[in-house]
Amino acid sequence: MRVASLRVLTFAVVAAAVAAPGCSSDHGGDHAHDAPPPVPVGPPTDASELTPAEDENPDPNVVEIHLEARDAMKTFGTAPPTPVWTYNGITPAPLVDTKVGDRLVVHFKNSLPEPTTIHWHGIRLPAKMDGTVAMQSPIPPGGTFTYEFTLKDAGLFWFHPHMRSDVQVQKGLYGALRVRGPVEPASDVERVLILDDIKLDKDGKVTEYLDDHSLMMGREGNVILVNGLANARVSVPPGGLVRLRIVNTANGRFFNLRLPDRKLHVIGTDGGLVPNPYDVDTLLMAPGERYDVMFVADAQPGTELPIISEPYERGHESGKLPPIEVGRFRTTDGPALQPKPLAASFPAIERLPDGPVDFPIRLNEKLVDGQVMFTINDAVHPNVPVITVKSGDVRVLEVSNESDMDHPFHLHGFFFQVLAKNGVPIAPERLANKDTLIVPGKTSYKLVARFDEPGSWMYHCHILEHGEHGMMGELVVE
Ligand code: C2O
Ligand code: CU
């Protein structure tokens, strides 16, 4: 596989096109499509808060909102204004805030020039509310649909279209959905961080053209965004215990997060809090994944703490790129807070039983008529053979990545638990409910899930260009 060029981001000048070491180019020297010019980032921008969605229902156990997908203009850094696609005129969408047991009612209108749907990533809901074309007709331009379901699980989830998702998400259609539970850890401040990037051409536009590199790695942008803003600042109280609810909504970019001289305390992931929190030096997040982490902002008032993304090798020499700065925390003025203790444990989660593999899922790539396609069990969606299970079944999947690059595996509608990696059982204290898992090249994971909701569900690679180019399958619960 060839990669025409790899891009590097530095903070002062965002993108500089460089030839990747070891990657020959035979594009005749014309990199016009895959090497957008640098986008100077512009002044620091306060990205601390997302705009909240307006709950129109007075019932405290019902959250009822309107979302309209429509176009708008937005300026990123100092780039010329960018035509974007939004929910209610903004990207990211308004933050939807709920609690476990709430009924969420979303009156959706599609004012885009093409069909769309909304998928509720990670939410356990009735299949006909899941927003995939396996269960719902595309909502045409001018069409409406009401999504309505009860929130069963606490955690940070997100929503995005499930049609032409590589293009629709890149253009700005995504938002966060927070569900609070009865047990939430104490903190001095909680921040939702939606990490993303956007690839702008010299006119500030998002191009739909998919060059070889972007097909292979997922479209990586030349502007890094935190809550939709370039050169982001996120305010935290000095000395405060900070809780971060992080989601990676990028098409292809992995974030490998690090704070200088500090560990991150992981308290939760996709499916909510984990029983045994743990510390990490770097936090790797693929597209679609969520992490719930804490750290103490032990710095003088007015200090800036850079949020770094360290290089990570996910294939095609991506690990040779330099670190980038994602944004910065900034401690506010005022006296330092007394340190609060970090949570040591959270409620147990039910462990699903181990068992023999029921369904092998092999991820790979192949050339079809000279074009790279991404495969599951050697087939390209929609020709991937359907997996069928009975409602209530607990089934074991073995996801084997036969390719040389990482694929983040995402299952709709159900959490799964990791049983083993390359045949080695996962430490019992790492038990977690996941819906998206990085499966590195030449690596296999054994996963278990309880399929207790009937309907047709999708599973796919969450590098959106891979999902849209074959690496997607369907699982039917009867
Ligand atoms: Cu977030 Cu099928 O995806
Ligand atoms: Cu992939």
Side-chain angles (χ1 to χ4, degrees):
M1 244 21 80
R2 241 174 5 250
V3 175
S5 74
L6 291 175
R7 271 171 305 284
V8 179
L9 288 115
T10 61
F11 203 55
V13 175
V14 170
V18 296
C23 290
S24 68
S25 167
D26 58 3
H27 270 221
D30 175 12
H31 292 180
H33 287 301
D34 42 358
V39 176
V41 289
T45 321
D46 186 2
S48 305
E49 301 283 351
L50 288 156
T51 304
E54 191 193 339
D55 178 7
E56 298 155 12
N57 195 310
D59 185 328
N61 301 316
V62 179
V63 173
E64 188 165 358
I65 64 172
H66 278 81
L67 286 182
E68 180 188 14
R70 59 181 162 93
D71 54 20
M73 298 298 283
K74 178 164 180 168
T75 301
F76 296 96
T78 59
T82 301
V84 289
W85 285 358
T86 70
Y87 294 113
N88 296 358
I90 57 173
T91 174
L95 171 66
V96 183
D97 241 323
T98 63
K99 63 182 187 309
V100 171
D102 280 357
R103 190 95 183 138
L104 177 62
V105 183
V106 180
H107 302 285
F108 176 63
K109 174 160 198 239
N110 179 14
S111 300
L112 300 173
E114 66 180 48
T116 192
T117 59
I118 305 182
H119 166 56
W120 306 90
H121 182 125
I123 298 285
R124 296 191 302 136
L125 39 51
K128 61 183 196 306
M129 294 293 148
D130 194 46
T132 70
V133 292
M135 292 298 295
Q136 134 168 63
S137 318
I139 303 162
T144 60
F145 188 83
T146 301
Y147 290 96
E148 183 169 354
F149 46 88
T150 298
L151 298 156
K152 298 179 182 172
D153 306 291
L156 184 75
F157 303 94
W158 66 295
F159 52 97
H160 60 81
H162 225 274
M163 299 193 62
R164 288 223 308 153
S165 57
D166 58 332
V167 171
Q168 294 195 3
V169 175
Q170 174 76 180
K171 286 189 171 185
L173 293 171
Y174 59 89
L177 164 56
R178 178 167 50 188
V179 187
R180 293 193 183 281
V183 186
E184 293 286 345
S187 64
D188 292 308
V189 68
E190 181 177 321
R191 298 287 184 216
V192 175
L193 301 184
I194 302 178
L195 305 184
D196 192 16
D197 61 358
I198 190 166
K199 183 176 174 181
L200 302 177
D201 67 16
K202 65 177 185 343
D203 303 319
K205 298 206 166 43
V206 174
T207 168
E208 291 190 16
Y209 173 81
L210 188 61
D211 58 75
D212 290 353
H213 175 78
S214 300
L215 171 61
M216 190 49 68
M217 305 306 285
R219 278 181 187 81
E220 289 191 307
N222 49 356
V223 185
I224 299 286
L225 303 175
V226 177
N227 295 341
L229 297 170
N231 201 3
R233 293 296 180 275
V234 175
S235 65
V236 295
L241 180 57
V242 180
R243 181 181 184 187
L244 305 175
R245 318 289 301 263
I246 315 173
V247 53
N248 180 355
T249 65
N251 281 40
R253 180 178 297 278
F254 286 38
F255 289 91
N256 192 20
L257 302 172
R258 181 175 69 78
L259 293 181
D261 306 317
R262 281 168 185 78
K263 291 187 188 296
L264 292 167
H265 188 62
V266 177
I267 62 168
T269 182
D270 303 343
L273 297 170
V274 292
N276 306 297
Y278 54 96
D279 286 345
V280 293
D281 291 316
T282 55
L283 180 70
L284 179 65
M285 295 186 67
E289 280 192 294
R290 283 89 66 215
Y291 276 97
D292 195 339
V293 302
M294 288 186 154
F295 75 98
V296 178
D298 49 353
Q300 294 302 311
T303 306
E304 294 201 332
L305 301 174
I307 308 166
I308 308 296
S309 182
E310 293 289 344
Y312 167 72
E313 181 58 58
R314 64 182 179 97
H316 301 283
E317 317 254 344
S318 49
K320 292 187 174 156
L321 295 170
I324 58 167
E325 188 172 295
V326 175
R328 293 184 187 182
F329 291 109
R330 175 174 235 284
T331 51
T332 48
D333 295 331
L337 299 177
Q338 287 307 308
K340 278 198 174 60
L342 289 168
S345 69
F346 292 111
I349 54 184
E350 184 199 349
R351 179 185 297 278
L352 297 175
D354 204 340
V357 173
D358 295 298
F359 302 105
I361 296 173
R362 291 179 296 105
L363 312 178
N364 211 334
E365 57 197 46
K366 68 175 175 191
L367 285 172
V368 179
D369 300 330
Q371 146 103 42
V372 177
M373 296 298 281
F374 297 90
T375 60
I376 294 177
N377 295 340
D378 303 319
V380 161
H381 180 72
N383 300 322
V384 176
V386 172
I387 293 175
T388 305
V389 303
K390 292 259 176 300
S391 183
D393 278 0
V394 174
R395 292 297 196 182
V396 174
L397 312 176
E398 184 180 59
V399 183
S400 313
N401 182 350
E402 298 178 340
S403 76
D404 289 317
M405 66 182 303
D406 292 21
H407 294 290
F409 174 83
H410 172 48
L411 173 67
H412 284 214
F414 311 93
F415 297 131
F416 56 78
Q417 296 172 359
V418 179
L419 296 169
K421 177 181 186 181
N422 293 332
V424 180
I426 296 298
E429 61 272 18
R430 282 289 165 272
L431 181 63
N433 283 327
K434 291 286 286 173
D435 58 58
T436 307
L437 178 73
I438 298 171
V439 186
K442 307 293 185 214
T443 298
S444 111
Y445 274 107
K446 203 172 158 194
L447 314 176
V448 60
R450 175 182 288 125
F451 295 99
D452 52 4
E453 186 69 45
S456 255
W457 302 94
M458 310 309 293
Y459 64 92
H460 58 90
C461 177
H462 219 291
I463 293 175
L464 297 174
E465 288 73 9
H466 295 182
E468 295 289 340
H469 288 83
M471 198 174 272
M472 174 144 15
E474 200 173 320
L475 186 148
V476 174
V477 181
E478 295 178 332

